[in-house]
Amino acid sequence: MSTDVVDLAEKFELFSDLWSPKLVARLNDYEVKLVKVQGEFVWHTHDDTDELFLVIEGTLTIQLRDGDVTLGPGQLFVVPRGVEHCPRADGHVKALLLEPAGVVNTGNAGGDLTAVVEAI
Amino acid sequence: MSTDVVDLAEKFELFSDLWSPKLVARLNDYEVKLVKVQGEFVWHTHDDTDELFLVIEGTLTIQLRDGDVTLGPGQLFVVPRGVEHCPRADGHVKALLLEPAGVVNTGNAGGDLTAVVEAI
């Protein structure tokens, strides 16, 4: 991770694994992460924090228990703390995440998709 | 401001004033703002917080006392707390800002360019 200019397109070229957010910038005690996703994640909740999704490429569906939210490029959505959600992408999606440092991608669910965040 | 999907392009259509950030989303105690800029701002410092700039359209120069940072679309930069900076745009620029709620755009400098943040 650099403290210089972060070029999102260049950063996305540096990894290919899915559902594994990469740290690209820090803002106080918050982290900006990039993630590539395809398929369905796991239903989970972050009890202590909101979570921001900004889609850079593709179409991301954030399934909520009371309906789906669909995001295309240049669209963002904040999942409120405590709200169960499950991201799903039928195609390949590039997205930017913003949340406090230390948030685990699978929230309260855990499991095989839990990622260790690497800085790139 | 909506708690639903935020479409950045649609939000940018809603205002035309320069150097006057508009609130489009909240994430915990942080705020996502959109701003249109052209020309030169004022040199200022945020003593208590980092500040993130993500350029959506155009080319933004963030002047620092030890050199300039130039950002194009899809590029972001975090100005560390306490670092004096002065944004400048030769052309028209659309940018996304991220910082804690309550941060004043002119920081410690104040003056005529100090904006009251409106939610859109």
Side-chain angles (χ1 to χ4, degrees), chain A residues 6 28 49-50 75-76 81, chain B residues 6-7 28 49-50 76 81:
Chain A
V6 175
N28 301 323
T49 182
D50 304 340
Q75 295 185 320
L76 68 83
R81 68 182 66 197
Chain B
V6 174
D7 183 293
N28 301 323
T49 182
D50 304 340
L76 67 83
R81 68 181 65 198

Side-chain angles (χ1 to χ4, degrees), chain B residues 35-106:
Chain B
V35 67
K36 293 182 175 180
V37 308
Q38 187 163 20
E40 189 171 58
F41 200 54
V42 292
W43 283 95
H44 67 284
T45 304
H46 303 289
D47 289 330
D48 300 323
T49 182
D50 304 340
E51 184 174 42
L52 184 147
F53 293 80
L54 169 63
V55 170
I56 305 298
E57 186 179 303
T59 302
L60 178 67
T61 299
I62 301 177
Q63 302 173 91
L64 306 172
R65 289 303 186 189
D66 61 354
D68 291 352
V69 171
T70 302
L71 301 176
Q75 295 185 319
L76 67 83
F77 182 74
V78 177
V79 178
R81 68 181 65 198
V83 171
E84 198 178 15
H85 58 286
C86 178
R88 189 190 75 225
D90 297 327
H92 194 270
V93 169
K94 297 176 182 172
L96 180 153
L97 305 178
L98 176 72
E99 55 201 1
V103 169
V104 174
N105 63 333
T106 53

Side-chain angles (χ1 to χ4, degrees), chain A residues 2 4 12 34-35 38 43 53 55 58 60 66-67 70 75 77 83-84 90 94 102 113 117 119:
Chain A
S2 169
D4 296 329
F12 275 118
L34 301 183
V35 66
Q38 186 162 19
W43 282 94
F53 293 79
V55 170
L60 178 67
D66 62 355
T70 302
Q75 295 185 320
F77 182 75
V83 170
E84 197 178 17
D90 296 328
K94 297 175 182 173
L113 288 170
V117 176

Side-chain angles (χ1 to χ4, degrees), chain A residues 25-76:
Chain A
R26 290 191 176 90
L27 174 80
N28 301 323
D29 55 346
Y30 278 63
E31 294 180 341
V32 178
K33 303 170 190 169
L34 301 183
V35 66
K36 293 182 174 181
V37 308
Q38 186 162 19
E40 187 170 60
F41 200 55
V42 292
W43 282 94
H44 67 284
T45 304
H46 303 289
D47 288 330
D48 300 323
T49 182
D50 304 340
E51 183 173 45
L52 184 148
F53 293 79
L54 169 63
V55 170
I56 306 298
E57 184 179 306
T59 302
L60 178 67
T61 299
I62 301 176
Q63 303 174 89
L64 306 172
R65 288 304 186 189
D66 62 355
D68 292 352
V69 171
T70 302
L71 301 176
Q75 295 185 320
L76 68 83

